[in-house]
Structure formats: C-alpha cells, structure tokens
Amino acid sequence: MTFKSAALAATLAMLSATAANAAGMNFDIQNSSDYIITGFYTGENGEWSSNWMNFKLKGGETAQMAFNYDGPCDIEFYVTWEAEDGSNIDGDVTTIDICDANTIYFDGAEASYD
C-alpha cells in the first residue's frame, strides 16, 4: 500500500467513524409540560455548551433540532424553563444516547426519548 492510498484509507475510516457518531443528530423536542422551555445545553469534559436553542418552546409544542455534534453518542444535557419572573430555572442533568433519539420529551419533571 502506498503512502497516498494509506492516507486515503485513514481518511475514509475517520469519515466513517464521524458519520456513525453524527447519526441521529437531527431530532424533535416535545414539550409536554406547562412550562416554556428556553434552553438546551450539553455537557462535555466538565463544561457546558452555549444554548442550542434560539427560540422558546411552549407547552404542547414540538420543534425540530439540528444538533451539530461529532462526539460520542452518550451525552449529558439539561434544559431550562422560564420562571414566572422571567428568569430561567435549570432542569436536572440527564444522560441520553443522542444517536438513538428521534424525539426527546419533557414533562416538567424529567426527560425521556424514543
């Protein structure tokens, strides 16, 4: 195998691995609570991302999310809700297999997915 073909094989292997990690990164979030969801944050290496949402999600609404992420499938995340005074309340941290998630459901107490 020449250097050029070895480099091409390595690049293709990396692209395949990235594609496997990136699978399922488009999903819906469904707000089944009476709260207004204002944020979706992911954690990695002890740090939290900026808000992935640039919108508010009222109770009973569903929205499509495009999750630009190339890391492992198991992620930690939390959502924020709007309090009556306009401030945000942080939800509990939840672990999810983002590669298998089609819809993430929030009921006001916990998150689940299918």
Side-chain angles (χ1 to χ4, degrees), residues 19-27 65 67 97-102:
N21 283 345
M25 295 305 162
N26 295 320
F27 59 92
M65 294 281 288
F67 194 68
D97 182 341
I98 197 65
C99 296
D100 284 340
N102 294 311

Side-chain angles (χ1 to χ4, degrees), residues 29-69:
I29 59 172
Q30 181 176 330
N31 185 357
S32 302
S33 75
D34 293 329
Y35 303 105
I36 297 172
I37 297 174
T38 58
F40 184 91
Y41 300 85
T42 58
E44 188 173 6
N45 300 324
E47 295 187 25
W48 291 100
S49 70
S50 57
N51 187 357
W52 288 92
M53 293 174 54
N54 61 356
F55 57 91
K56 294 182 179 182
L57 191 64
K58 296 179 182 175
E61 291 183 335
T62 300
Q64 293 181 340
M65 294 281 288
F67 194 68
N68 186 15
Y69 177 73

Side-chain angles (χ1 to χ4, degrees), residues 61-82:
E61 291 183 335
T62 300
Q64 293 181 340
M65 294 281 288
F67 194 68
N68 186 15
Y69 177 73
D70 289 329
C73 290
D74 288 332
I75 64 165
E76 290 185 327
F77 75 94
Y78 72 93
V79 297
T80 56
W81 285 269
E82 188 173 272

